[in-house]
Amino acid sequence: MTSKIVDREDENDDLIEQLNELIQLDFDAVRAYETAIDKLRDVSARGDLVLFKQDHERHIEDLSRAVLRLGGLPRDRGNLKGILLDGLTALRAATGDVGALRAMRMNERITNRAYIKALDDPLSMDTRAIVLANREDEQRHLLSIKQHLERLDEDYQDEIDDEEELLRSDSEFPWGAHPLA
């Protein structure tokens, strides 16, 4: 009987770690959104990014409550990778609206990948519902950013932009590897 308790505790520890990685990624996204919002001139894109930042803040709150329910301690900030993403966002945003949106598209691809990975793990029904709802937000963010790029970037149509393929590829990561690998 003791081994089952230990196994259950190990499962909770793994789940808490997975949820904390999502929390950390959402903190990183909030910081990147703040940077991009400050640089954007396009009113429509800026308005969407403000809403998406609020979604990430809600994700942090919802995931933090799930971690607490599991007996864990939720993370309260991002990490070094988030600082790198924020720096990259600031550099690309300095080139204008298209650069800022391209940076945010890359950031949303990373976040989408993380949520896809989390949904592959065994989750309780309530935790799965939270992760699934957050993943749907991430898909909406990515689609909206893509639409803004199509509207603002005359060269955008020339790019190969198969989002499903890009979501499986690690080539977009500035440090060369999946952030949760």
Side-chain angles (χ1 to χ4, degrees), residues 132-160:
L132 189 57
N134 292 357
R135 165 66 169 127
E136 289 171 0
D137 287 343
E138 300 310 323
Q139 288 175 319
R140 183 174 40 81
H141 298 172
L142 193 57
L143 178 61
S144 178
I145 291 168
K146 178 182 173 185
Q147 290 169 341
H148 285 298
L149 281 167
E150 287 171 344
R151 180 174 55 82
L152 295 171
D153 185 359
E154 62 192 39
D155 296 327
Y156 186 79
Q157 294 300 322
D158 296 334
E159 295 180 4
I160 298 172

Side-chain angles (χ1 to χ4, degrees), residues 10-168:
D10 288 346
E11 285 178 22
N12 272 357
D13 289 347
D14 291 344
L15 181 54
I16 289 167
E17 181 58 28
Q18 178 71 19
L19 295 176
N20 268 324
E21 288 174 1
L22 292 174
I23 290 169
Q24 186 172 315
L25 194 57
D26 277 309
F27 270 116
D28 296 340
V30 167
R31 184 172 26 204
Y33 270 103
E34 288 169 348
T35 299
I37 290 164
D38 287 344
K39 303 291 183 188
L40 273 174
R41 292 186 182 146
D42 185 81
V43 175
S44 177
R46 187 174 346 112
D48 280 348
L49 267 55
V50 167
L51 295 174
F52 300 161
K53 177 182 161 263
Q54 291 169 351
D55 285 344
H56 285 283
E57 291 168 338
R58 181 178 35 80
H59 296 172
I60 292 166
E61 292 172 16
D62 294 345
L63 291 167
S64 293
R65 281 193 297 274
V67 167
L68 289 169
R69 279 193 304 271
L70 291 166
L73 185 61
R75 296 216 177 117
D76 61 357
R77 63 183 177 280
N79 69 1
L80 177 60
K81 290 178 187 175
I83 294 169
L84 293 173
L85 285 176
D86 188 42
L88 181 61
T89 301
L91 285 173
R92 291 191 88 175
T95 65
D97 287 355
V98 170
L101 288 168
R102 285 178 179 263
M104 294 315 301
R105 187 179 83 178
M106 182 193 66
N107 294 342
E108 283 298 338
R109 286 176 176 162
I110 293 168
T111 308
N112 268 274
R113 286 181 184 136
Y115 275 98
I116 289 169
K117 183 177 185 277
L119 286 168
D120 286 341
D121 292 338
L123 302 170
S124 67
M125 279 185 25
D126 60 332
T127 302
R128 179 167 295 285
I130 292 168
V131 173
L132 189 57
N134 292 357
R135 165 66 169 127
E136 289 171 0
D137 287 343
E138 300 310 323
Q139 288 175 319
R140 183 174 40 81
H141 298 172
L142 193 57
L143 178 61
S144 178
I145 291 168
K146 178 182 173 185
Q147 290 169 341
H148 285 298
L149 281 167
E150 287 171 344
R151 180 174 55 82
L152 295 171
D153 185 359
E154 62 192 39
D155 296 327
Y156 186 79
Q157 294 300 322
D158 296 334
E159 295 180 4
I160 298 172
D161 194 50
D162 179 0
E163 291 298 334
E164 286 304 312
E165 180 63 28
L166 290 168
L167 287 172
R168 289 188 290 260

